[in-house]
Amino acid sequence: MKIAIASGKGGTGKTTLSTNLATFLGETKRVVLADLDVEEPNSKLFIDAQILKTHDTFKMIPRWVSQACTQCAQCVEVCNYNALIHIANEILVFPNLCHSCYACSELCPTQALPMEPQKMGELTHWRSDWIDGVEGRLNIGEEQAVSLISQTKKYVEKYFGDDTVKIYDAPPGTSCPMVEAIKDVAFVILITEPTPFGLHDLKLAVETVRAVGKAFGVVINQHGIGNDAVLDYCRAEAIDIIAKIPHDRAVAMAYARGELAYRSVAGFKEALRDVVAFCEAKGLL
Amino acid sequence: MKIAFTAQGTTWDCMIEARFGRTDYLLLWDEEAQTLESFDNNEGKNEAHGAGPKMAKVLLDLKADVLITGNGPGENANAILGKSGVKMYVGAGDMRVKEAYEAYKAGKLPLF
């Protein structure tokens, strides 16, 4: 079963919940944690793990073959991302704008734009005492996260079967990378903080998850700060509150030491138990 | 000489727009013909990606010799403009179009 942990706002606790929940579940089940926040994957910082293997990942980019080109510029017309420009007698390709959709390459009447691999990042498979982890890491300066997220998921699906619980740590925001991370999971846990900013971005995330058609519920992190507006909103929208992680300095201290908070903070572990109970009741575990 | 300005409006009294790809308008002053034309960049400035290269292409299609702007084009647009002969002057972000033209004529604007 695949469960994604996502949020609108960044820094609300996606990785904190992902790493703690995955390891807690890993005490009794087979679990793989996929770090899909490929622009800054940081799950491994909190888990003492051995790297099993690392390999390069590639995206496909068109290369312009001047001798074959008839300057019809159809490629420029079909590109939705302005990744190709026709100037003078040249077609210029901008790899950082290209989404690897192949439209230019396949519609070119003279095959003047063959697709070629370009390194975009790395994929790492690690293992701790309790769980396996797979991490996608985008090269610095590389803008297109979606393809690497997709490749990371494919790796997870290839190497881990139905007997393994798959926890997806999604990227923040509500744009294409987040949608790619949640689009084939059974359930999305949206984590938020009970503040006006948290609520604002939670609403965006709820809208997105509903548009993608996923079942979801909310975990409130740092419960005790802010106000009740998130609770009121969830009640009004009939959204399940799965758990409330208490605001506790001890959680921040564990985090700062690179440790899993549930091992030292009782209130945190209680919240994890609530998440597990909820997931079991929904048939997700 | 054809001189292009990134601008917030369509007249000499408008402010220069500091941004290149996401400028509101591109103004083109033809020194020989003594005409000031304006081009609405409404489509380009709302592109999610690639506004810069798109504007660079417009500039080349208009056969501008000089560009007067604020911040200067970004990496992608510069990859195109760098190949062309367009001379790019920056630092006019807080001037009116007329002032920017005078500053350029007086040699007071830095080359990009």
Side-chain angles (χ1 to χ4, degrees):
Chain A
M1 209 52 106
K2 295 174 214 158
I3 300 170
I5 295 170
S7 72
K9 185 179 174 301
T12 54
K14 285 179 301 301
T15 299
T16 304
L17 181 60
S18 301
T19 50
N20 280 276
L21 179 63
T23 305
F24 181 58
L25 284 172
E27 292 176 2
T28 53
K29 296 175 195 301
R30 289 173 62 99
V31 176
V32 60
L33 170 62
D35 196 337
L36 302 180
D37 187 4
V38 300
E39 286 175 88
E40 50 175 0
N42 56 359
S43 300
K44 201 156 56 63
L45 293 176
F46 302 96
I47 293 171
D48 191 12
Q50 298 279 323
I51 291 174
L52 301 184
K53 61 178 162 178
T54 294
H55 65 79
D56 290 346
T57 60
F58 299 86
K59 66 173 184 177
M60 300 303 282
I61 296 294
R63 180 177 59 87
W64 181 57
V65 183
S66 59
Q67 306 91 304
C69 181
T70 61
Q71 312 277 332
C72 74
Q74 259 191 62
C75 50
V76 176
E77 292 290 311
V78 300
C79 182
N80 258 335
Y81 308 100
N82 295 316
L84 300 152
I85 295 277
H86 184 213
I87 48 161
N89 295 319
E90 261 185 273
I91 301 287
L92 287 183
V93 179
F94 294 93
N96 57 350
L97 295 176
C98 175
H99 284 52
S100 308
C101 78
Y102 282 67
C104 60
S105 185
E106 294 193 357
L107 291 170
C108 176
T110 57
Q111 286 84 46
L113 287 162
M115 298 296 277
E116 293 187 345
Q118 177 178 308
K119 188 186 168 188
M120 71 180 317
E122 286 179 349
L123 209 145
T124 299
H125 182 174
W126 51 258
R127 182 171 291 160
S128 76
D129 289 345
W130 306 104
I131 61 173
D132 277 52
V134 180
E135 167 200 288
R137 180 175 293 265
L138 206 57
N139 277 358
I140 291 169
E142 177 62 55
E143 294 175 31
Q144 307 304 337
V146 171
S147 168
L148 182 51
I149 292 170
S150 158
Q151 289 181 47
T152 309
K153 289 191 308 181
K154 274 187 192 133
Y155 183 96
V156 169
E157 277 159 31
K158 183 173 171 191
Y159 289 99
F160 300 92
D162 291 338
D163 60 336
T164 306
V165 180
K166 302 177 183 79
I167 305 285
Y168 287 180
D169 186 1
T174 53
S175 61
C176 298
M178 182 266 206
V179 171
E180 180 67 28
I182 67 166
K183 75 180 186 192
D184 43 25
V185 300
F187 193 82
V188 180
I189 296 174
L190 291 176
I191 186 159
T192 187
E193 58 188 33
T195 62
F197 190 178
L199 175 60
H200 176 272
D201 284 9
L202 173 65
K203 286 179 180 170
L204 296 175
V206 166
E207 217 177 289
T208 307
V209 175
R210 281 182 174 154
V212 181
K214 293 293 163 190
F216 68 99
V218 166
V219 168
I220 295 178
N221 193 14
Q222 299 202 70
H223 180 62
I225 63 165
N227 55 35
D228 288 338
V230 167
L231 288 170
D232 295 342
Y233 166 75
C234 290
R235 217 168 282 140
E237 291 282 324
I239 297 167
D240 288 322
I241 306 258
I242 302 168
K244 295 170 191 165
I245 300 171
H247 176 62
D248 187 339
R249 185 184 164 88
V251 175
M253 288 169 68
Y255 180 93
R257 284 194 298 264
E259 295 169 4
L260 295 173
Y262 85 93
R263 289 184 173 144
S264 57
V265 186
F268 199 108
K269 195 166 183 174
E270 275 310 304
L272 287 186
R273 287 209 177 94
D274 290 343
V275 175
V276 173
F278 178 93
C279 291
E280 280 171 349
K282 289 271 177 190
L284 297 166
L285 294 172
Chain B
M1 293 274 269
K2 285 185 177 177
I3 297 164
F5 305 85
T6 55
Q8 295 175 15
T10 60
T11 66
W12 285 108
D13 289 327
C14 292
M15 296 301 292
I16 293 282
E17 167 59 56
R19 296 172 302 170
F20 177 72
R22 295 185 193 281
T23 185
D24 298 310
Y25 295 93
L26 192 76
L27 303 189
L28 191 70
W29 169 240
D30 187 329
E31 289 184 315
E32 281 85 62
Q34 295 278 300
T35 53
L36 183 71
E37 281 183 280
S38 70
F39 301 88
D40 190 336
N41 187 38
N42 196 37
E43 194 192 324
K45 79 175 180 191
N46 292 320
E47 289 281 354
H49 312 277
K54 209 164 182 174
M55 177 51 76
K57 160 100 169 132
V58 170
L59 207 59
L60 296 189
D61 288 347
L62 291 173
K63 301 194 170 16
D65 302 295
V66 170
L67 168 71
I68 295 174
T69 185
N71 303 335
E75 195 183 322
N76 291 329
N78 198 35
I80 298 169
L81 294 173
K83 284 172 169 265
S84 72
V86 180
K87 282 205 164 61
M88 297 179 273
Y89 292 90
V90 293
D94 53 1
M95 297 180 189
R96 293 180 189 283
V97 175
K98 196 171 179 51
E99 292 164 355
Y101 181 58
E102 284 160 5
Y104 154 72
K105 279 295 192 190
K108 287 179 182 162
L109 291 181
L111 258 176
F112 182 63

